[in-house]
Amino acid sequence: MKDKQFDNVFKEKLQSYSSPVPEDMWERIAQDKRKKKPLVFWFTNTSYGLYGFLAITIIIAGVFAWNHNSINGLDTISLNTGTSINKFKTNPLNETNNIIHKQAKSQPIVNSPVYKTDITSNSVVNKNSINIKSEITNVSVTENDAPTTATESKQVNINSILSSTKNKQIKSYLNKYIGNKAVKDNNLHTEIQNSILPVSINSFEGENDNSDTRSLGQIALQRSDKFKMALSKLNVTLKKTNHFDCPGEKSRINKSWYVEIYGSPEFNFKTVTNIGTTSNYLKKKDSAESMLMGFNFGVRLMKNIFSNIYIKTGVQLTQYNEKFSVQREDEHKTTTVVTNKIISLPQGDTTISDTSVYTQVGYKYTKTINQYRNIEVPIILCLRSENVDDIWCWSVSGGVILNAYSWNNGSTIDTSLGIVPISTKGSGAYSSEFGLSLMAAASIERKLNDNWALFTEPYFRYGLSNKIISKFGFEQKFNSLGISLGIRYKFGNRQQY
Amino acid sequence: MKLSISNNSLNDNFSEKEIVIACLKGDVKYQKILFERYSPKFMTVCLRYATDQMQAEDMLQDAFIRIFNHLDQFKFEGSFEGWMRRIVVNVALKAIKTNRLSYSTDDDAGVQIPDTSTDAPSHLSESELLRLIKQLPTGYRIIFNLHAIEGFSHDEIGDMLKIKASTSRSQLVKARKMLQQQIINLQKIAV
């Protein structure tokens, strides 16, 4: 027999041959078709998830770097200290309050060419300095009787001072560290007294008569070399008692503690890794399970540790929900039908028996909601745009979430397609559980008053290690996307230098 | 408990084009008709390539999802069934490739190839022929299916499987020999 003929026998007989298709096949296809595409493309691919996390981390670092060097690039500062001091000295109120003084040992600095500016008029800056001090004095006199009026009055004056400053970066600096505080804070007198009045100008030589003081030059060191050069020679100092609200200062630490209570719906995405089972089993398992919306809620403490950097830690409960549905052949029922027909013929009756057999297959449909619950400890670093006078505040954060304890309810299939519980005990499907996740978030908060604030925080959570190790040869982990809503309470209102 | 009894009737009332157009509009009813009309044939295709029933079911499921997702690429040129069959075969090959299948031009030491000839296996039923094919080693089975039943040339098979055409030829020869040996064995049992 020729090869072609041999092949043709197979072709003719098998090309149009029909085989029985499982009854639930259409349901399985329809279910797969209903699966929606993920909201964000990289949730379907773990490597893309990692790229996303890295990108967010880089953004956080970039924002931090930008914030830290916000005054970098400042050109030569226009400060004619000699003129400034002379003018202050002519103001008796300033002298009375010991706001500004020139130390006896100071070197001649008037009209020193070293401090000449090349971008801003000296007179403008000096004028600003004088005006600020004058207004402070006025406020301190009138605040007790009419604080509201005083506030409004100072707002106008300080704004006018700021508007008269031509250099944008100086203006920004004054606005950020002086203007905003004085303008917006209800307790204007206290704030200004704390932040502005104790400013003193010490000697040109840098001699301090108070070891607890910190020079503006040192502050400026963190921001701009040029700014530092100008101010360190001027050596303007702040006393320790000052509450100079300067979020970018390294040495300023907010001593307050914060407590956050939050909750979030979560979209969870599961990643399964084959470590020794058949792909068929994983496909069966995958077709039987689909993730539902989960949630998490918790409480955490927040503490300032460095500059604008806060650390958050606490405890949270996370629950992943999963729909498990499987249809299995449960019962085969065979029925035999025997039909007897009697045919009457002249030569006698003939009995014909017709036997037919049909089988009914009974399917058992099992459906449960699997619940993966975890008690977790988040350890998060947070960069905040902290300004005590702003109603709105933003922050970005990132960190790790450790899985402290887990327990599961529900079912899955084993390799023989039997249904087993998803616990870690007894005949459960999973042998151990440990999870480590990376988390990145951005949040916006709104202050309700001095102590309370509401916040919302979209976040992405990437499962770094496999959370579940199955007895049946696979591992699985979860990635999450959620948006937390929460409330924050601030204990105390202290700051430390 | 739910009793399921299949019902494939009334599907022939719709033309192929009518079904395709309705499926393109997302009509689930017509998609189901399409499935019911062609799934038994394609199940056979999957069974010819798969190593077991479960793998064949997975292949069929993936193939129909792919058909529905790419239905807009069918240009009503040529046979619609042929277009779908090609998808089913591709899905089957892809599923098998994930198991890191390798082909060798060398003679397999474990396979004894008889130098015999046999009569046409026309007396064997379809299910028996199917079982014979499923008993072939994976490499032989794929190439025999692609060449003898689907009708692909050895060059086409070489492109599809990233192997040389000569490899395809040698695998086909071995597959035929092995099938002939199996048929002889069946005849001996019958006698």
Side-chain angles (χ1 to χ4, degrees):
Chain A
M1 182 183 191
K2 290 182 180 178
D3 290 340
K4 194 71 178 172
Q5 289 174 308
F6 183 83
D7 292 350
N8 282 341
V9 173
F10 281 88
K11 184 172 183 175
E12 287 164 8
K13 287 209 168 189
L14 292 180
Q15 195 160 38
S16 299
Y17 179 63
S18 296
S19 297
V21 178
E23 288 292 332
D24 65 333
M25 179 61 79
W26 172 248
E27 291 300 321
R28 280 150 57 181
I29 291 169
Q31 194 177 25
D32 265 18
K33 278 168 49 199
R34 278 196 296 269
K35 283 183 181 174
K36 291 179 181 175
K37 290 183 179 177
L39 293 174
V40 182
F41 70 95
W42 29 269
F43 293 140
T44 56
N45 188 316
T46 53
S47 60
Y48 285 134
L50 188 58
Y51 299 151
F53 183 82
L54 287 174
I56 291 170
T57 306
I58 290 168
I59 290 168
I60 292 171
V63 170
F64 175 71
W66 173 82
N67 183 68
H68 206 62
N69 297 294
S70 58
I71 305 185
N72 275 348
L74 194 66
D75 288 324
T76 305
I77 302 300
S78 167
L79 290 173
N80 188 327
T81 55
T83 305
S84 171
I85 291 166
N86 287 337
K87 287 190 178 180
F88 281 131
K89 283 187 117 179
T90 60
N91 187 334
L93 284 172
N94 285 340
E95 288 182 339
T96 304
N97 290 297
N98 195 25
I99 296 169
I100 299 174
H101 63 274
K102 182 181 178 184
Q103 289 192 349
K105 294 180 182 177
S106 63
Q107 296 296 311
I109 56 175
V110 178
N111 298 326
S112 168
V114 174
Y115 308 110
K116 265 196 163 182
T117 178
D118 51 10
I119 57 169
T120 311
S121 159
N122 291 340
S123 60
V124 171
V125 174
N126 291 331
K127 180 184 173 185
N128 289 346
S129 302
I130 293 166
N131 284 344
I132 290 170
K133 303 308 171 188
S134 300
E135 294 303 334
I136 290 162
T137 306
N138 291 338
V139 172
S140 66
V141 172
T142 58
E143 187 268 339
N144 287 337
D145 295 330
T148 305
T149 307
T151 302
E152 291 169 353
S153 167
K154 297 318 126 192
Q155 181 173 338
V156 172
N157 290 329
I158 289 169
N159 281 339
S160 68
I161 292 164
L162 293 173
S163 63
S164 67
T165 304
K166 292 177 182 175
N167 186 289
K168 286 182 181 176
Q169 286 172 318
I170 293 176
K171 191 173 178 176
S172 168
Y173 182 82
L174 291 172
N175 187 60
K176 188 173 183 181
Y177 299 127
I178 300 172
N180 277 354
K181 245 184 130 44
V183 171
K184 294 179 181 176
D185 200 288
N186 291 330
N187 197 348
L188 182 65
H189 170 66
T190 304
E191 287 295 334
I192 291 180
Q193 196 162 34
N194 287 338
S195 61
I196 306 298
L197 291 183
V199 172
S200 60
I201 300 176
N202 290 326
S203 71
F204 175 69
E205 296 293 335
E207 294 176 18
N208 284 328
D209 55 358
N210 186 343
S211 60
D212 290 333
T213 62
R214 181 171 61 113
S215 74
L216 264 181
Q218 289 167 355
I219 298 169
L221 175 64
Q222 304 153 14
R223 304 187 169 277
S224 163
D225 289 341
K226 291 178 181 177
F227 196 40
K228 172 236 173 183
M229 286 172 64
L231 287 182
S232 63
K233 288 177 180 174
L234 177 63
N235 208 12
V236 178
T237 61
L238 293 175
K239 300 244 173 157
K240 184 179 180 180
T241 53
N242 289 350
H243 284 200
F244 198 82
D245 185 38
C246 187
E249 306 304 336
K250 276 185 180 175
S251 54
R252 175 183 168 274
I253 294 177
N254 185 345
K255 295 281 283 181
S256 300
W257 285 83
Y258 300 81
V259 175
E260 293 179 346
I261 299 172
Y262 58 94
S264 167
E266 274 192 346
F267 294 99
N268 304 120
F269 310 92
K270 186 169 66 175
T271 304
V272 178
T273 308
N274 187 346
I275 56 168
T277 189
T278 62
S279 57
N280 290 335
Y281 166 63
L282 289 184
K283 282 184 180 177
K284 284 282 181 188
K285 177 182 177 302
D286 184 53
S287 65
E289 297 172 349
S290 60
M291 297 304 296
L292 302 173
M293 183 173 283
F295 65 85
N296 95 5
F297 61 85
V299 59
R300 63 192 176 200
L301 291 171
M302 185 172 84
K303 181 77 177 72
N304 188 202
I305 55 169
F306 172 77
S307 184
N308 287 6
I309 306 295
Y310 287 72
I311 188 168
K312 295 180 181 183
T313 188
V315 62
Q316 66 182 29
L317 171 69
T318 303
Q319 179 170 312
Y320 308 127
N321 294 321
E322 179 184 69
K323 187 174 81 174
F324 171 74
S325 58
V326 65
Q327 188 175 10
R328 296 178 303 153
E329 288 185 7
D330 187 58
E331 185 177 301
H332 289 251
K333 186 177 178 182
T334 303
T335 306
T336 303
V337 179
V338 180
T339 306
N340 292 323
K341 294 179 181 176
I342 300 172
I343 302 173
S344 296
L345 297 171
Q347 53 269 43
D349 292 348
T350 301
T351 302
I352 299 174
S353 293
D354 182 11
T355 304
S356 60
V357 177
Y358 69 92
T359 302
Q360 288 178 304
V361 181
Y363 289 87
K364 187 174 183 181
Y365 188 67
T366 305
K367 181 180 176 184
T368 59
I369 302 296
N370 294 343
Q371 297 167 330
Y372 301 86
R373 295 194 183 100
N374 310 287
I375 301 290
E376 298 169 324
V377 177
I379 302 172
I380 297 165
L381 285 177
C382 172
L383 172 66
R384 296 183 70 210
S385 69
E386 184 186 23
N387 189 332
V388 296
D389 299 308
D390 287 345
I391 293 176
W392 293 94
C393 178
W394 59 266
S395 69
V396 289
S397 54
V400 297
I401 298 176
L402 304 170
N403 183 32
Y405 181 72
S406 299
W407 72 103
N408 311 321
N409 292 324
S411 305
T412 188
I413 53 174
D414 61 16
T415 49
S416 63
L417 306 186
I419 295 179
V420 291
I422 57 170
S423 68
T424 56
K425 297 171 184 173
S427 60
Y430 304 135
S431 58
S432 65
E433 296 177 78
F434 175 76
L436 177 65
S437 302
L438 297 177
M439 180 258 201
S443 75
I444 299 172
E445 64 183 68
R446 188 191 189 285
K447 287 183 181 173
L448 300 177
N449 55 40
D450 287 344
N451 294 97
W452 291 95
L454 288 173
F455 68 90
T456 180
E457 184 177 71
Y459 63 90
F460 172 61
R461 178 175 168 173
Y462 176 74
L464 197 63
S465 66
N466 289 306
K467 183 189 172 301
I468 287 174
I469 300 172
S470 168
K471 293 174 182 174
F472 306 128
F474 67 89
E475 295 176 343
Q476 65 184 26
K477 60 184 179 181
F478 297 93
N479 301 322
S480 306
L481 177 70
I483 179 165
S484 293
L485 296 174
I487 191 164
R488 178 184 297 132
Y489 181 74
K490 177 182 179 182
F491 290 100
N493 190 17
R494 296 172 296 161
Q495 293 174 341
Q496 181 186 32
Y497 289 92
Chain B
M1 182 186 297
K2 190 172 81 176
L3 290 175
S4 302
I5 300 172
S6 63
N7 179 12
N8 294 327
S9 62
L10 301 177
N11 291 352
D12 295 334
N13 296 337
F14 303 99
S15 71
E16 198 170 74
K17 189 169 184 179
E18 200 177 359
I19 293 172
V20 174
I21 290 170
C23 288
L24 282 169
K25 291 175 183 173
D27 192 323
V28 178
K29 189 181 102 181
Y30 284 86
Q31 288 177 347
K32 190 174 183 184
I33 290 171
L34 179 74
F35 170 80
E36 288 175 347
R37 181 179 289 186
Y38 293 104
S39 60
K41 280 184 187 176
F42 294 158
M43 187 67 191
T44 304
V45 176
C46 294
L47 284 169
R48 282 195 280 112
Y49 287 91
T51 52
D52 54 40
Q53 176 78 17
M54 188 183 286
Q55 189 183 30
E57 289 178 17
D58 289 341
M59 286 176 179
L60 186 67
Q61 184 176 338
D62 290 349
F64 267 99
I65 288 167
R66 200 162 168 184
I67 287 167
F68 289 132
N69 287 340
H70 297 87
L71 205 55
D72 57 332
Q73 293 176 10
F74 179 65
K75 304 299 180 190
F76 296 97
E77 297 167 357
S79 162
F80 179 55
E81 183 180 338
W83 179 81
M84 288 192 294
R85 184 181 287 268
R86 181 66 187 256
I87 288 179
V88 176
V89 171
N90 284 339
V91 168
L93 292 177
K94 190 178 175 185
I96 295 167
K97 275 182 191 172
T98 58
N99 295 330
R100 300 176 191 278
L101 180 68
S102 62
Y103 301 89
S104 171
T105 52
D106 301 331
D107 287 343
D108 292 335
V111 179
Q112 294 182 352
I113 303 168
D115 185 17
T116 57
S117 61
T118 182
D119 292 334
S122 52
H123 61 283
L124 296 175
S125 68
E126 288 87 348
S127 59
E128 284 173 319
L129 291 177
L130 194 57
R131 196 173 67 250
L132 290 177
I133 290 176
K134 288 174 74 174
Q135 287 172 354
L136 289 173
T138 306
Y140 296 178
R141 187 173 70 247
I142 291 172
I143 288 170
F144 183 80
N145 275 319
L146 290 173
H147 183 81
I149 302 177
E150 317 298 351
F152 290 108
S153 69
H154 289 296
D155 288 334
E156 288 172 324
I157 294 171
D159 290 340
M160 291 165 75
L161 303 179
K162 310 293 182 201
I163 58 174
K164 292 177 182 174
S166 59
T167 305
S168 174
R169 283 191 195 92
S170 69
Q171 298 267 310
L172 179 66
V173 170
K174 292 171 189 173
R176 283 199 194 106
K177 295 286 185 188
M178 187 169 275
L179 285 169
Q180 288 166 358
Q181 178 65 57
Q182 288 172 342
I183 292 167
I184 290 169
N185 292 341
L186 279 176
Q187 288 170 339
K188 285 178 183 175
I189 293 168
V191 171

